Amino acid sequence: MLRMGGLIYIGYLCKLETVTSQPNPANDLLRAAARLSRWASQNAAFAIPFAQARLLGLIEDHEPVRVSALAGFDHSSQPTITTQLQRMDAAGWVRRDPDPEDARATLVTLTAAGTAAIAEVRTARAAVLEPFISRLDGPAHERVRLAVDVINELLELTSRDLEPRED
């Protein structure tokens, strides 16, 4: 028997019963944001693989950043990140330099082309969502703005309190 997201499964295919759960704003927010983000990525047209776009965004958020820290942020192995970085380096999107504090480590930063690539992805994702936002009435537009403000406030709080995991 397996319990997942309020459901109990026998094996992996048969739902036995629904378990009522307490409201969980953190879970609700994360699920809604993830669903909206996935929808935008699935419906937008952009030239680069989304895994590389995600990594470009992580680099932008934390640059200059060590490869080991990127692996922690992405919940990936260091060899996986290194392979992605080699592809991104070949495309001209990142620059890798020795870490002045540890010659064995590498610091990664975006190039102008990398910044342009992530901007293209963000523009494409926003473009598929904008027509739906434009259908909302005035009060809904204000709620969207407030939701963005709250999410940004949460991101600011988390950026001060958490350090990346290095596995």
Side-chain angles (χ1 to χ4, degrees), residues 10 24-25 28 48 57 67-68 91-92 100 105 114 116 120 123 127:
I10 299 172
N24 186 335
D28 295 345
I48 68 175
V67 175
S68 58
E120 175 189 329
T123 299

Side-chain angles (χ1 to χ4, degrees), residues 132-150:
F132 296 96
I133 291 175
S134 71
R135 293 183 196 171
L136 299 174
D137 63 16
H141 277 269
E142 181 58 25
R143 289 193 314 272
V144 169
R145 183 72 251 150
L146 289 171
V148 170
D149 290 345
V150 169

Side-chain angles (χ1 to χ4, degrees), residues 115-134:
T115 300
I118 192 63
E120 175 189 329
V121 170
R122 289 180 178 141
T123 299
R125 287 167 35 97
V128 298
L129 185 57
E130 285 170 354
F132 296 96
I133 291 175
S134 71

